[in-house]
Amino acid sequence: MRIIKSAAIVALMCGCAIATMDVRPASALTLMDFIRGGKKRTSPEHAQPARPLPGVGMIVPQQIDPRMAAKPPRVTGPRYYTYKAEPLRRIATDRLLDPVVTGSVQNGALPPMLRPPLSDARQFLPEINVRATDAVAKAVENYYGGRTDFVWIDSTGVNTRAKSALAVLAQAAKVGLDPQDYAVDVPSDTFDRGDMIAREKELVQFELAMSVATLTYVQDTVRGRIDPNKISGYHDFKRKSVDLFAFLDKLAGSDDAAALIESQNPKSPQFLALKAELERLRALTDATPRVEIAPGTLLKPGQSNPELANVIAGIKLKASESLKAEHAVVLASYQGTPDYTPELVSVVEAFQKERGLKADGVVGQASIRVLTGGETTDSKINKIEIAMEQARWLPDGLGSRYVFINQPAFTASYTDQGTEQFSMRVVVGSKTNQTYFFQDEIQTVEVNPYWGVPQSIIVNEMLPKLRSDPGYLDRMGYQVEVGGRVVPSSAVNWYGSTTSVAVRQPPSSDNALGELKILFPNAHAIYMHDTPSKSFFKRDQRALSHGCVRLADPRRMAAAVLGKSIDDVGKEIASGRNKALQVPQKVPVYVSYFTAWPNKTGTVEYFNDVYDRDMYVNRALDATRNARRAEG
């Protein structure tokens, strides 16, 4: 029987990278064998290079005194940044002097109260201080630099268009935004008619501030308040562009400014579900009730334990309405007895399944954590607000057909014709090898794949062993290339740079990628794939890989994106040949990170922040608020 060193296997068996070499396969040997020492394998006949290659045969590693050798290098992943919010700058009112004021006076476009002598206009306009981000400031300057009328004021002061727009801005919290970011000082209807210059200055200040607030709201609700790429190297998004000048021009001619502004908010079913959940949570006035279950409780079917009463109380509190309705008779008849009967086991299993736990009826640490949950109303609201911000980074409407991976939920789902067809468990990157947050398109399914070992695994995990035993990969049956040429592992200078060294594992039942991988080419070498380590899917916490996404049912996902049957995919695998199957029509894939997200019924579910990314989003939002509140 094999003795498996689990920690090392978890570290190595979960790696991923896209292999591009095309050489004759050698007999396969697993990374488990790599850890244990493996069996001696015959090196490929074609492994001897025809001429010297860089890094090959330059030194004999065994002749180097290990005490004198440099410590093996490390390949590090992306990092998190200290978020730097976009600063505000003052609107260049000197550019607006002639068109807005002089031109308006000359053309009679200004309201009667705004017709001071030209010298007075030149006197007060440079004093007006309205600040905005550069994009908003440019849009305002360009708009008013070519206009002779106003959007938000008329002869009576603040017009009805402004009042309706202000009502929308004041309700920004309903769509997960901060109303303070769009607050504007509104001129009073009463004023000193003896000081018309001051009144004119007040109204022009409001006009510009109102345009800034409205355009800031529109830009925020379309693309989000923060730039995700400035949070960390794990975020990879092309930020949406918003034509602010065109929108302001459209507002000027609109009879319903409120409807026009609100139309810019996301309309996807997922966003609307988050919005409804946010409204529900904010309506709660009492502290969220909680249950306590004694630490260390372990309850198995058929046992008797007084903590069972608290377990059932927790289910009544935290289960969905549909689950409670389905098991209403059992829940209603339970009298607090300690006997864990089969009927109660069924209720617990249903709850575990609903929460993404192993549905075995055993109440242990994972189930207790969910039942006693640290989720307060405030923490849920915060997760919802973060989810609404992040949803704005994605398209407004994910499409009628797509794959959605949610890392905190450890799930991947397939949607077709706007309806989720199935969902499955996945394994994602560990906290030290995090999966990225980005979107792409699935293009290929590769059956019987080679596994190209990532440089991070070669350097961080293989190199120390190879320096003491350079022929190790030869015995394992791995294929090694230097500069594109196949060479024996024993011929490589493992004390030199490994930049031009490539290692891959041939197809086999023990291949780290299993039977297939699903590719959406990206700069991060992340894809979905099979795995021989099926036991990982039984775990509740499945952040275990080097960054790729491992599927519990890869054949089903492959069949879905290929538009084939599962049997057809099985036949391709049974051929034993390494083969790339092109997807007939590219399928969008969202490799996402949401700690709050609606399920297929629209019910919002909450998940643990496995990478602590919500903390970094909160910091970015705080930095943005501070920048917008800063005095100019």
Side-chain angles (χ1 to χ4, degrees):
M1 177 180 291
R2 294 180 178 180
I3 299 174
I4 299 174
K5 299 181 180 179
S6 58
I9 293 166
V10 169
L12 290 178
M13 287 295 292
C14 303
C16 63
I18 298 176
T20 57
M21 295 180 287
D22 185 19
V23 296
R24 187 168 49 185
S27 56
L29 206 155
T30 70
L31 283 174
M32 298 181 191
D33 295 325
F34 179 88
I35 297 298
R36 290 192 302 268
K39 299 184 230 177
K40 187 173 182 179
R41 299 295 178 104
T42 302
S43 300
E45 295 178 359
H46 61 295
Q48 183 63 38
R51 59 180 182 275
L53 295 169
V56 178
M58 297 174 66
I59 58 174
V60 181
Q62 294 92 328
Q63 294 178 349
I64 293 182
D65 185 344
R67 294 171 297 178
M68 303 299 293
K71 185 178 180 180
R74 299 284 297 177
V75 174
T76 59
R79 63 185 180 87
Y80 287 87
Y81 313 130
T82 299
Y83 191 85
K84 295 182 180 179
E86 186 177 4
L88 307 187
R89 70 168 176 84
R90 187 173 177 177
I91 301 291
T93 52
D94 57 314
R95 302 180 189 177
L96 315 181
L97 183 60
D98 290 342
V100 173
V101 177
T102 307
S104 298
V105 170
Q106 292 172 346
N107 297 331
L110 278 172
M113 67 181 66
L114 302 183
R115 293 180 183 172
L118 181 59
S119 59
D120 292 330
R122 291 184 182 278
Q123 178 180 348
F124 79 75
L125 195 55
E127 297 175 4
I128 290 178
N129 185 8
V130 177
R131 302 172 69 245
T133 59
D134 189 59
V136 172
K138 285 180 179 177
V140 169
E141 290 162 356
N142 291 338
Y143 179 82
Y144 288 103
R147 300 291 292 251
T148 59
D149 53 357
F150 293 89
V151 179
W152 311 109
I153 58 176
D154 57 24
S155 60
T156 61
V158 176
N159 61 26
T160 56
R161 181 185 293 119
K163 292 175 182 176
S164 65
L166 284 166
V168 176
L169 301 184
Q171 298 297 317
K174 288 187 175 182
V175 290
L177 300 176
D178 187 346
Q180 284 296 322
D181 286 345
Y182 323 106
V184 179
D185 291 331
V186 182
S188 172
D189 291 335
T190 60
F191 57 94
D192 182 3
R193 294 187 176 274
D195 190 359
M196 295 302 296
I197 300 300
R199 177 61 172 177
E200 176 184 342
K201 180 179 178 181
E202 182 183 35
L203 288 174
V204 173
Q205 171 90 17
F206 171 77
E207 172 73 23
L208 297 180
M210 189 66 193
S211 290
V212 165
T214 303
L215 295 185
T216 301
Y217 176 97
V218 168
Q219 184 166 259
D220 286 352
T221 199
V222 169
R223 72 176 193 178
R225 288 167 285 175
I226 57 180
D227 182 349
N229 301 320
K230 292 165 64 176
I231 297 174
S232 81
Y234 292 108
H235 294 76
D236 184 7
F237 289 93
K238 181 180 179 181
R239 208 167 186 201
K240 300 175 186 175
S241 60
V242 185
D243 192 338
L244 300 175
F245 179 94
F247 186 81
L248 187 55
D249 190 51
K250 193 173 183 179
L251 265 176
S254 174
D255 294 328
D256 193 344
L260 183 59
I261 296 170
E262 288 182 328
S263 71
Q264 302 304 298
N265 288 315
K267 309 173 207 48
S268 70
Q270 294 85 0
F271 188 89
L272 294 179
L274 292 170
K275 180 183 176 184
E277 175 74 350
L278 182 60
E279 184 177 4
R280 184 189 72 81
L281 291 173
R282 285 182 173 150
L284 299 176
T285 54
D286 298 329
T288 303
R290 301 176 67 179
V291 298
E292 297 293 336
I293 299 175
T297 294
L298 179 62
L299 177 60
K300 297 181 179 181
Q303 292 182 339
S304 180
N305 192 315
E307 290 299 322
L308 177 61
N310 291 326
V311 170
I312 300 303
I315 290 176
K316 289 180 178 179
L317 183 63
K318 293 185 174 288
S320 67
E321 294 302 321
S322 59
L323 186 149
K324 287 187 285 188
E326 182 180 352
H327 298 274
V329 175
V330 175
L331 291 173
S333 61
Y334 177 65
Q335 300 297 314
T337 57
D339 297 331
Y340 193 20
T341 64
E343 294 79 14
L344 294 173
V345 171
S346 296
V347 176
V348 171
E349 288 176 343
F351 178 78
Q352 290 172 326
K353 182 178 180 181
E354 182 175 78
R355 290 307 185 96
L357 303 174
K358 183 180 180 181
D360 56 5
V362 177
V363 180
Q365 290 184 358
S367 296
I368 291 173
R369 186 167 54 248
V370 173
L371 288 166
T372 58
E375 293 287 2
T376 64
T377 298
D378 286 344
S379 67
K380 287 182 178 180
I381 287 174
N382 181 241
K383 286 188 173 184
I384 293 290
E385 290 175 333
I386 289 173
M388 295 173 84
E389 170 70 19
Q390 294 178 159
R392 293 179 165 100
W393 305 343
L394 300 176
D396 183 21
L398 304 180
S400 63
R401 182 172 183 244
Y402 60 87
V403 173
F404 191 86
I405 300 163
N406 190 9
Q407 297 165 52
F410 304 115
T411 59
S413 61
Y414 172 74
T415 293
D416 191 18
Q417 297 182 351
T419 301
E420 182 181 304
Q421 303 299 312
F422 59 81
S423 179
M424 67 182 65
R425 288 187 163 206
V426 301
V427 171
V428 298
S430 66
K431 194 166 184 178
T432 54
N433 297 281
Q434 299 179 18
T435 303
Y436 289 71
F437 189 175
F438 67 106
Q439 66 185 80
D440 214 293
E441 290 182 320
I442 297 171
Q443 299 183 24
T444 311
V445 174
E446 185 178 345
V447 297
N448 302 309
Y450 286 85
W451 177 49
V453 183
Q455 276 289 316
S456 60
I457 294 179
I458 294 174
V459 173
N460 297 343
E461 297 163 37
M462 290 183 168
L463 194 56
K465 176 66 177 178
L466 288 166
R467 284 187 170 182
S468 61
D469 185 2
Y472 206 72
L473 293 179
D474 295 334
R475 297 197 306 276
M476 288 178 63
Y478 278 74
Q479 298 173 346
V480 180
E481 286 191 358
V482 175
R485 296 276 305 279
V486 179
V487 300
S489 171
S490 57
V492 177
N493 172 20
W494 294 111
Y495 284 85
S497 171
T498 63
T499 303
S500 62
V501 178
V503 178
R504 72 172 182 173
Q505 184 186 26
S508 75
S509 60
D510 288 330
N511 184 286
L513 304 186
E515 298 178 334
L516 61 83
K517 60 181 178 180
I518 300 174
L519 299 172
F520 34 100
N522 57 83
H524 318 301
I526 286 178
Y527 45 84
M528 296 182 284
H529 66 88
D530 181 26
T531 175
S533 302
K534 305 298 185 184
S535 63
F536 289 163
F537 296 108
K538 297 179 181 179
R539 303 186 184 185
D540 295 324
Q541 204 284 82
R542 298 188 292 279
L544 303 169
S545 81
H546 274 79
C548 281
V549 179
R550 302 163 66 176
L551 302 172
D553 193 352
R555 291 191 181 194
R556 188 176 189 185
M557 185 66 79
V561 300
L562 287 168
K564 296 177 177 289
S565 70
I566 295 176
D567 287 343
D568 288 338
V569 173
K571 291 175 182 176
E572 295 285 0
I573 294 170
S575 72
R577 295 190 301 272
N578 173 242
K579 185 177 181 181
L581 307 174
Q582 296 301 313
V583 173
Q585 185 177 6
K586 293 179 181 178
V587 181
V589 57
Y590 303 96
V591 186
S592 64
Y593 192 95
F594 290 93
T595 55
W597 195 251
N599 60 25
K600 63 181 180 180
T601 67
T603 301
V604 175
E605 297 177 333
Y606 298 89
F607 311 102
N608 291 332
D609 186 6
V610 62
Y611 298 150
D612 296 326
R613 284 185 185 164
D614 282 4
M615 174 184 68
Y616 290 99
V617 173
N618 277 326
R619 289 179 180 177
L621 290 171
D622 286 341
T624 299
R625 291 188 189 96
N626 292 336
R628 292 180 176 186
R629 309 289 192 275
E631 296 294 332

